[in-house]
Amino acid sequence: MKSTEGEFEDELKSAQELIRRGEFRLAVQTIETILSDKPKHKDALYLGVVCDRYLKNYARALELVNRLKSAAPDYGRAYQEEGHIFRAMGDTAKALIAYRRACHFNPALEASWRAQGELLSASGRPGEGRTATVQAEWLSRLPREVAAAMNHVHEGRLYKAENLCRSFLQKNPKNVDAIRLLADIGARFNILDDAEFLLESASVFEPDNVQVRLDYIQILRKKQKYQAAFEQAQMLYKRNPSDPVFQSHLAIESMYNGNFERAFALFDQVLDRLPGDPATLTTRGHALKTYGRHEDAVTSYRAAFRSVPDYGDAFFGLANLKTYKFTDEEIDLMRKQESNDQLGYANRISICFSLGKALEDRKDYEASFSYYKRGNELKRIQSRYDADQMTGELQKQSEICTAELFNEQTGKGFPAQDPIFIVGLPRAGSTLLEQILASHSQIDGTLELPNILALAHRLRYRNHI
């Protein structure tokens, strides 16, 4: 007989209490009961990994970690546990990879930053080790509420993070770390006006805070305020023209403002300081493609994966050129990387799609489809798409958005001739319609505007609290 959701929660709490008391073997028994009914239960898998690690059952712990990563590919704590296990087994190289991925998916994991600092320093890389340790120390100094909210954000609990952050800011209205976090939450909900206001305020409270400026640039660009974003990037660049981070941001903002020649010059400056940096080479490839320098774009993408062979974005950049045909050597390289069990999740998705395109071009349709299918399966897990939830939402929309509702709105709207608003349901062809209209010489598309999504979130938030 299967357990109910309430019984699962009770069993999880029981296992957590047993772990707190150090009774790991008893906890494992409870966890196995849950997993027998729900083999992909994220929390149960995580607790199982913790128990087996403490019991030094490393082989079983790694097996559970792989199941956990499959069920929740962006769950930072899964990679943190993997790092702890490899470190205990003495495999420093794999531990560092795992800790780095843990921090990529959840930058609030202090233990992973601190472990990186210790391992890097011990392996003769003191500069990198110090950088990681500084991040760990910064996290340790955060107010408890802000640290908790940050963790909620990176584990997908946005409403809980938002409530906690707002509550903290009511008592500490000038805390810049909390303001940055609330702006990040707003951006994730597509409430860009609020995010922009918050970051503008934070830049007044702490005008020399670089992270605030970098966040502000990202929001301004999302709002298509390209000139304002460029001015912020220019401000940072003037502080230290030799800093590759500032060079890179100014290059990107120059590109968005149509100054491609300056963007290319800045990308070259970054690569002088960081030769072979795959992110810079790939971004430069995107810029060259947009500018019409097709062959140079190909060269830049190739340089990126020759520098870092598992850098999936570079392969995907080539595939996305549509006209590029991968060589035999490149297909072999992608297959080799895709078969590596240490390949990062996002890189695996990009490489699967790129292999699908490469093999489709060669008319090897069976192999091509298998890689497309694998890439889509991985992407579906990562996106947390729920078909039943989407069906429910569309059903509710059809119940509310009746012919009578639209008849009541007849005659409303903006009377001027120039603005054209396209509003449609998901997958209804609204983006295609926008592209068709924007192909007219007197019409310019503005991309997707967040206004309606922002209004929906505000209404949902009010109902939620």
Side-chain angles (χ1 to χ4, degrees), residues 50 55 66 81 105 142 211 266 284 372 380 429:
V50 171
L55 291 169
N66 287 331
E81 281 300 313
F105 289 117
L142 284 177
Q211 285 303 318
L266 287 162
R284 187 179 68 170
Y372 280 139
R380 180 186 58 77

Side-chain angles (χ1 to χ4, degrees), residues 365-384:
Y365 299 122
E366 184 176 354
S368 169
F369 187 80
S370 70
Y371 280 114
Y372 280 139
K373 184 173 183 288
R374 178 162 169 73
N376 276 308
E377 286 173 347
L378 295 170
K379 190 68 177 177
R380 180 186 58 77
I381 295 171
Q382 184 188 53
S383 67
R384 297 190 180 93

Side-chain angles (χ1 to χ4, degrees), residues 9-27:
E9 291 303 315
D10 290 341
E11 289 169 342
L12 274 174
K13 289 177 182 177
S14 174
Q16 289 169 339
E17 181 57 33
L18 288 168
I19 290 172
R20 275 192 287 269
R21 298 204 303 257
E23 299 180 38
F24 301 111
R25 295 187 189 282
L26 289 175

